[in-house]
Amino acid sequence: MGVVDTGRLRRTGELALPGFAVGALAGLVAGGLTAIAGQPLGWAMTSAVGLALPLGLVGGLYSLLMVHGVVRPGTFAPAALLWLVGFPLGRLVQEVAARYVILGEPGVPEDLLGFLAFQAIISAGFAIGFLWMHERIAPQWLAKIAVRNPDAAVAYDRYAAHSRLLYSAKQARREAKAKARANRR
């Protein structure tokens, strides 16, 4: 057995944190909504943890993919594809956990394929919200840890370059519109 490099493990955890936090928060909110809907506290807590953990793990995976350059900042398609698989699996974990707590026996939904298909359909909406939140949290977090985490510094530079590109494109559009208006006069 090899020795675990705790420094590398800590740095990887730091890089995954924004996505993990966004995914886990979504799961916890779902559990809170379960409680507000009038379900027993144990059921709500099981729903929260049963969804927060898998969504957090998939969110952390997204952060790592983005940090390592597999996914470009701000692009929807890779997030949608990841959540197309991750969201239904997260909901399945939640359902199995809730069934175990409520009925005392593990099990899957009766129409498993229908359940997974429906979750896959709504995963696109989740991906939009996840990406929006991630893009607000990740750059700030990466800037904060960049001084001690070289991978974070590279990822932050990638975000900064992406931001400059978006800003330049926006400025070019504004200038083109102003020029077109001036030519019409």
mmCIF file of all heavy atoms in Angstrom, residues 118-143:
data_model
loop_
_atom_site.group_PDB
_atom_site.id
_atom_site.type_symbol
_atom_site.label_atom_id
_atom_site.label_comp_id
_atom_site.label_asym_id
_atom_site.label_seq_id
_atom_site.Cartn_x
_atom_site.Cartn_y
_atom_site.Cartn_z
ATOM 1 N N PHE A 118 -37.746 10.621 -16.126
ATOM 2 C CA PHE A 118 -38.293 11.896 -15.668
ATOM 3 C C PHE A 118 -37.208 12.741 -15.007
ATOM 4 O O PHE A 118 -37.115 13.947 -15.246
ATOM 5 C CB PHE A 118 -39.460 11.670 -14.695
ATOM 6 C CG PHE A 118 -40.020 12.956 -14.171
ATOM 7 C CD1 PHE A 118 -40.793 13.761 -14.990
ATOM 8 C CD2 PHE A 118 -39.769 13.358 -12.872
ATOM 9 C CE1 PHE A 118 -41.305 14.967 -14.510
ATOM 10 C CE2 PHE A 118 -40.265 14.561 -12.395
ATOM 11 C CZ PHE A 118 -41.049 15.363 -13.216
ATOM 12 N N GLN A 119 -36.374 12.126 -14.182
ATOM 13 C CA GLN A 119 -35.296 12.866 -13.522
ATOM 14 C C GLN A 119 -34.299 13.398 -14.550
ATOM 15 O O GLN A 119 -33.757 14.490 -14.392
ATOM 16 C CB GLN A 119 -34.578 11.980 -12.492
ATOM 17 C CG GLN A 119 -35.464 11.431 -11.400
ATOM 18 C CD GLN A 119 -36.315 12.477 -10.706
ATOM 19 O OE1 GLN A 119 -35.842 13.557 -10.370
ATOM 20 N NE2 GLN A 119 -37.579 12.157 -10.496
ATOM 21 N N ALA A 120 -34.056 12.630 -15.606
ATOM 22 C CA ALA A 120 -33.149 13.088 -16.666
ATOM 23 C C ALA A 120 -33.729 14.305 -17.370
ATOM 24 O O ALA A 120 -32.992 15.230 -17.717
ATOM 25 C CB ALA A 120 -32.885 11.962 -17.666
ATOM 26 N N ILE A 121 -35.044 14.317 -17.559
ATOM 27 C CA ILE A 121 -35.684 15.461 -18.215
ATOM 28 C C ILE A 121 -35.518 16.719 -17.371
ATOM 29 O O ILE A 121 -35.164 17.783 -17.890
ATOM 30 C CB ILE A 121 -37.181 15.171 -18.483
ATOM 31 C CG1 ILE A 121 -37.312 14.105 -19.575
ATOM 32 C CG2 ILE A 121 -37.931 16.450 -18.854
ATOM 33 C CD1 ILE A 121 -38.706 13.540 -19.720
ATOM 34 N N ILE A 122 -35.750 16.617 -16.087
ATOM 35 C CA ILE A 122 -35.656 17.819 -15.251
ATOM 36 C C ILE A 122 -34.211 18.163 -14.884
ATOM 37 O O ILE A 122 -33.957 19.234 -14.339
ATOM 38 C CB ILE A 122 -36.546 17.729 -13.991
ATOM 39 C CG1 ILE A 122 -36.113 16.588 -13.078
ATOM 40 C CG2 ILE A 122 -38.000 17.590 -14.380
ATOM 41 C CD1 ILE A 122 -36.863 16.581 -11.765
ATOM 42 N N SER A 123 -33.282 17.286 -15.225
ATOM 43 C CA SER A 123 -31.873 17.568 -14.911
ATOM 44 C C SER A 123 -31.358 18.804 -15.641
ATOM 45 O O SER A 123 -30.454 19.481 -15.146
ATOM 46 C CB SER A 123 -30.998 16.358 -15.246
ATOM 47 O OG SER A 123 -30.873 16.178 -16.646
ATOM 48 N N ALA A 124 -31.908 19.118 -16.800
ATOM 49 C CA ALA A 124 -31.454 20.300 -17.539
ATOM 50 C C ALA A 124 -31.731 21.568 -16.734
ATOM 51 O O ALA A 124 -30.888 22.469 -16.683
ATOM 52 C CB ALA A 124 -32.121 20.377 -18.907
ATOM 53 N N GLY A 125 -32.883 21.644 -16.107
ATOM 54 C CA GLY A 125 -33.182 22.793 -15.252
ATOM 55 C C GLY A 125 -32.238 22.873 -14.072
ATOM 56 O O GLY A 125 -31.769 23.957 -13.702
ATOM 57 N N PHE A 126 -31.947 21.719 -13.500
ATOM 58 C CA PHE A 126 -30.996 21.700 -12.389
ATOM 59 C C PHE A 126 -29.616 22.141 -12.871
ATOM 60 O O PHE A 126 -28.929 22.895 -12.184
ATOM 61 C CB PHE A 126 -30.917 20.300 -11.767
ATOM 62 C CG PHE A 126 -30.006 20.257 -10.581
ATOM 63 C CD1 PHE A 126 -30.450 20.645 -9.336
ATOM 64 C CD2 PHE A 126 -28.692 19.866 -10.723
ATOM 65 C CE1 PHE A 126 -29.602 20.642 -8.234
ATOM 66 C CE2 PHE A 126 -27.833 19.853 -9.640
ATOM 67 C CZ PHE A 126 -28.294 20.237 -8.395
ATOM 68 N N ALA A 127 -29.224 21.687 -14.056
ATOM 69 C CA ALA A 127 -27.908 22.055 -14.601
ATOM 70 C C ALA A 127 -27.787 23.559 -14.794
ATOM 71 O O ALA A 127 -26.735 24.144 -14.522
ATOM 72 C CB ALA A 127 -27.661 21.323 -15.924
ATOM 73 N N ILE A 128 -28.870 24.203 -15.229
ATOM 74 C CA ILE A 128 -28.847 25.660 -15.407
ATOM 75 C C ILE A 128 -28.593 26.347 -14.074
ATOM 76 O O ILE A 128 -27.726 27.212 -13.963
ATOM 77 C CB ILE A 128 -30.167 26.157 -16.038
ATOM 78 C CG1 ILE A 128 -30.268 25.683 -17.492
ATOM 79 C CG2 ILE A 128 -30.275 27.679 -15.951
ATOM 80 C CD1 ILE A 128 -31.643 25.865 -18.103
ATOM 81 N N GLY A 129 -29.351 25.963 -13.060
ATOM 82 C CA GLY A 129 -29.174 26.566 -11.740
ATOM 83 C C GLY A 129 -27.815 26.262 -11.143
ATOM 84 O O GLY A 129 -27.165 27.141 -10.561
ATOM 85 N N PHE A 130 -27.367 25.029 -11.306
ATOM 86 C CA PHE A 130 -26.057 24.645 -10.788
ATOM 87 C C PHE A 130 -24.963 25.480 -11.443
ATOM 88 O O PHE A 130 -24.105 26.038 -10.769
ATOM 89 C CB PHE A 130 -25.790 23.156 -11.029
ATOM 90 C CG PHE A 130 -24.384 22.765 -10.691
ATOM 91 C CD1 PHE A 130 -24.051 22.428 -9.393
ATOM 92 C CD2 PHE A 130 -23.382 22.766 -11.655
ATOM 93 C CE1 PHE A 130 -22.743 22.097 -9.054
ATOM 94 C CE2 PHE A 130 -22.070 22.437 -11.334
ATOM 95 C CZ PHE A 130 -21.755 22.100 -10.025
ATOM 96 N N LEU A 131 -24.997 25.566 -12.763
ATOM 97 C CA LEU A 131 -23.966 26.298 -13.489
ATOM 98 C C LEU A 131 -23.978 27.776 -13.097
ATOM 99 O O LEU A 131 -22.915 28.374 -12.890
ATOM 100 C CB LEU A 131 -24.153 26.132 -14.996
ATOM 101 C CG LEU A 131 -23.058 26.692 -15.876
ATOM 102 C CD1 LEU A 131 -21.713 26.033 -15.576
ATOM 103 C CD2 LEU A 131 -23.416 26.494 -17.347
ATOM 104 N N TRP A 132 -25.150 28.345 -12.967
ATOM 105 C CA TRP A 132 -25.254 29.753 -12.587
ATOM 106 C C TRP A 132 -24.605 29.979 -11.219
ATOM 107 O O TRP A 132 -23.803 30.897 -11.049
ATOM 108 C CB TRP A 132 -26.724 30.193 -12.572
ATOM 109 C CG TRP A 132 -26.887 31.649 -12.321
ATOM 110 C CD1 TRP A 132 -26.824 32.656 -13.245
ATOM 111 C CD2 TRP A 132 -27.112 32.273 -11.054
ATOM 112 N NE1 TRP A 132 -27.006 33.870 -12.625
ATOM 113 C CE2 TRP A 132 -27.186 33.659 -11.281
ATOM 114 C CE3 TRP A 132 -27.273 31.805 -9.762
ATOM 115 C CZ2 TRP A 132 -27.408 34.575 -10.263
ATOM 116 C CZ3 TRP A 132 -27.486 32.713 -8.734
ATOM 117 C CH2 TRP A 132 -27.550 34.090 -9.005
ATOM 118 N N MET A 133 -24.944 29.134 -10.256
ATOM 119 C CA MET A 133 -24.356 29.281 -8.916
ATOM 120 C C MET A 133 -22.850 29.009 -8.937
ATOM 121 O O MET A 133 -22.077 29.725 -8.310
ATOM 122 C CB MET A 133 -25.024 28.321 -7.923
ATOM 123 C CG MET A 133 -26.406 28.723 -7.510
ATOM 124 S SD MET A 133 -26.435 30.234 -6.543
ATOM 125 C CE MET A 133 -25.512 29.751 -5.104
ATOM 126 N N HIS A 134 -22.443 27.974 -9.631
ATOM 127 C CA HIS A 134 -21.030 27.602 -9.688
ATOM 128 C C HIS A 134 -20.197 28.740 -10.273
ATOM 129 O O HIS A 134 -19.105 29.037 -9.772
ATOM 130 C CB HIS A 134 -20.854 26.325 -10.504
ATOM 131 C CG HIS A 134 -19.483 25.752 -10.427
ATOM 132 N ND1 HIS A 134 -18.492 26.110 -11.315
ATOM 133 C CD2 HIS A 134 -18.936 24.869 -9.563
ATOM 134 C CE1 HIS A 134 -17.393 25.450 -11.003
ATOM 135 N NE2 HIS A 134 -17.633 24.691 -9.938
ATOM 136 N N GLU A 135 -20.708 29.376 -11.318
ATOM 137 C CA GLU A 135 -19.962 30.445 -11.965
ATOM 138 C C GLU A 135 -19.856 31.692 -11.085
ATOM 139 O O GLU A 135 -19.024 32.551 -11.332
ATOM 140 C CB GLU A 135 -20.602 30.811 -13.306
ATOM 141 C CG GLU A 135 -20.510 29.699 -14.330
ATOM 142 C CD GLU A 135 -19.087 29.309 -14.652
ATOM 143 O OE1 GLU A 135 -18.321 30.162 -15.090
ATOM 144 O OE2 GLU A 135 -18.738 28.124 -14.454
ATOM 145 N N ARG A 136 -20.697 31.805 -10.080
ATOM 146 C CA ARG A 136 -20.603 32.925 -9.151
ATOM 147 C C ARG A 136 -19.666 32.626 -7.987
ATOM 148 O O ARG A 136 -19.055 33.538 -7.436
ATOM 149 C CB ARG A 136 -21.981 33.276 -8.582
ATOM 150 C CG ARG A 136 -22.695 34.330 -9.347
ATOM 151 C CD ARG A 136 -23.665 34.012 -10.301
ATOM 152 N NE ARG A 136 -23.975 34.847 -11.422
ATOM 153 C CZ ARG A 136 -23.773 34.462 -12.651
ATOM 154 N NH1 ARG A 136 -23.139 33.359 -12.930
ATOM 155 N NH2 ARG A 136 -24.179 35.184 -13.662
ATOM 156 N N ILE A 137 -19.552 31.374 -7.628
ATOM 157 C CA ILE A 137 -18.760 30.989 -6.455
ATOM 158 C C ILE A 137 -17.343 30.585 -6.821
ATOM 159 O O ILE A 137 -16.382 30.997 -6.168
ATOM 160 C CB ILE A 137 -19.462 29.831 -5.707
ATOM 161 C CG1 ILE A 137 -20.793 30.315 -5.129
ATOM 162 C CG2 ILE A 137 -18.579 29.262 -4.614
ATOM 163 C CD1 ILE A 137 -21.653 29.205 -4.588
ATOM 164 N N ALA A 138 -17.194 29.763 -7.850
ATOM 165 C CA ALA A 138 -15.898 29.165 -8.168
ATOM 166 C C ALA A 138 -14.777 30.179 -8.418
ATOM 167 O O ALA A 138 -13.692 30.033 -7.837
ATOM 168 C CB ALA A 138 -16.023 28.207 -9.347
ATOM 169 N N PRO A 139 -14.977 31.195 -9.251
ATOM 170 C CA PRO A 139 -13.847 32.111 -9.499
ATOM 171 C C PRO A 139 -13.358 32.805 -8.222
ATOM 172 O O PRO A 139 -12.150 32.949 -8.021
ATOM 173 C CB PRO A 139 -14.408 33.136 -10.492
ATOM 174 C CG PRO A 139 -15.566 32.472 -11.126
ATOM 175 C CD PRO A 139 -16.130 31.538 -10.093
ATOM 176 N N GLN A 140 -14.287 33.210 -7.383
ATOM 177 C CA GLN A 140 -13.887 33.869 -6.136
ATOM 178 C C GLN A 140 -13.124 32.910 -5.227
ATOM 179 O O GLN A 140 -12.132 33.283 -4.601
ATOM 180 C CB GLN A 140 -15.115 34.431 -5.420
ATOM 181 C CG GLN A 140 -15.769 35.541 -6.199
ATOM 182 C CD GLN A 140 -17.033 36.037 -5.540
ATOM 183 O OE1 GLN A 140 -17.207 35.928 -4.340
ATOM 184 N NE2 GLN A 140 -17.921 36.594 -6.332
ATOM 185 N N TRP A 141 -13.594 31.679 -5.158
ATOM 186 C CA TRP A 141 -12.928 30.675 -4.332
ATOM 187 C C TRP A 141 -11.539 30.358 -4.883
ATOM 188 O O TRP A 141 -10.564 30.276 -4.146
ATOM 189 C CB TRP A 141 -13.777 29.417 -4.233
ATOM 190 C CG TRP A 141 -13.098 28.300 -3.503
ATOM 191 C CD1 TRP A 141 -12.636 27.141 -4.036
ATOM 192 C CD2 TRP A 141 -12.790 28.250 -2.107
ATOM 193 N NE1 TRP A 141 -12.060 26.363 -3.068
ATOM 194 C CE2 TRP A 141 -12.137 27.027 -1.862
ATOM 195 C CE3 TRP A 141 -12.989 29.111 -1.039
ATOM 196 C CZ2 TRP A 141 -11.702 26.641 -0.610
ATOM 197 C CZ3 TRP A 141 -12.547 28.725 0.216
ATOM 198 C CH2 TRP A 141 -11.908 27.510 0.419
ATOM 199 N N LEU A 142 -11.450 30.185 -6.196
ATOM 200 C CA LEU A 142 -10.159 29.879 -6.815
ATOM 201 C C LEU A 142 -9.157 31.007 -6.598
ATOM 202 O O LEU A 142 -7.979 30.755 -6.344
ATOM 203 C CB LEU A 142 -10.339 29.593 -8.304
ATOM 204 C CG LEU A 142 -11.099 28.302 -8.637
ATOM 205 C CD1 LEU A 142 -11.430 28.249 -10.113
ATOM 206 C CD2 LEU A 142 -10.349 27.075 -8.183
ATOM 207 N N ALA A 143 -9.619 32.252 -6.696
ATOM 208 C CA ALA A 143 -8.731 33.394 -6.448
ATOM 209 C C ALA A 143 -8.214 33.366 -5.016
ATOM 210 O O ALA A 143 -7.042 33.670 -4.761
ATOM 211 C CB ALA A 143 -9.463 34.704 -6.724
#
